[in-house]
Amino acid sequence: MSQLFSQETHRNLLARIPACTGREISDWLRTVEEGPSLFRFEEKVSWLRSEHDLAYGHAKAIIHEYDLRRAARKLG
């Protein structure tokens, strides 16, 4: 498993993604939700990078946020 960002770095990356990509985080999370059923974290990151030409850090932050929100839904 790849090393995850600190919480602060993660928040900073998420805050910059809309300006860098022209799309809001909610749009990216919907894209991941509607994308292919991939199981591994790095597979999802690679898919976002190849299909949407994202930087590695941005793709990783989006997938991490997606996983965090998905886990929170399961607990709630």
Side-chain angles (χ1 to χ4, degrees), residues 7-76:
Q7 288 182 3
E8 180 180 0
T9 301
H10 178 67
R11 284 191 307 270
N12 290 338
L13 274 168
L14 286 180
R16 287 193 306 261
I17 287 172
C20 294
T21 66
R23 292 177 63 186
E24 295 297 321
I25 296 301
S26 59
D27 292 337
W28 285 114
L29 297 176
R30 191 170 31 260
T31 296
V32 173
E33 182 71 29
E34 294 169 355
S37 296
L38 302 171
F39 296 104
R40 294 182 55 235
F41 183 88
E42 288 297 329
E43 289 176 326
K44 294 175 191 175
V45 170
S46 293
W47 173 76
L48 266 185
R49 291 185 72 209
S50 66
E51 289 294 315
H52 300 282
D53 199 29
L54 290 176
Y56 178 73
H58 291 156
K60 189 173 172 180
I62 291 166
I63 298 301
H64 183 60
E65 185 67 17
Y66 175 80
D67 287 348
L68 287 173
R69 291 184 187 197
R70 194 169 122 218
R73 283 194 309 262
K74 286 183 179 179
L75 291 176

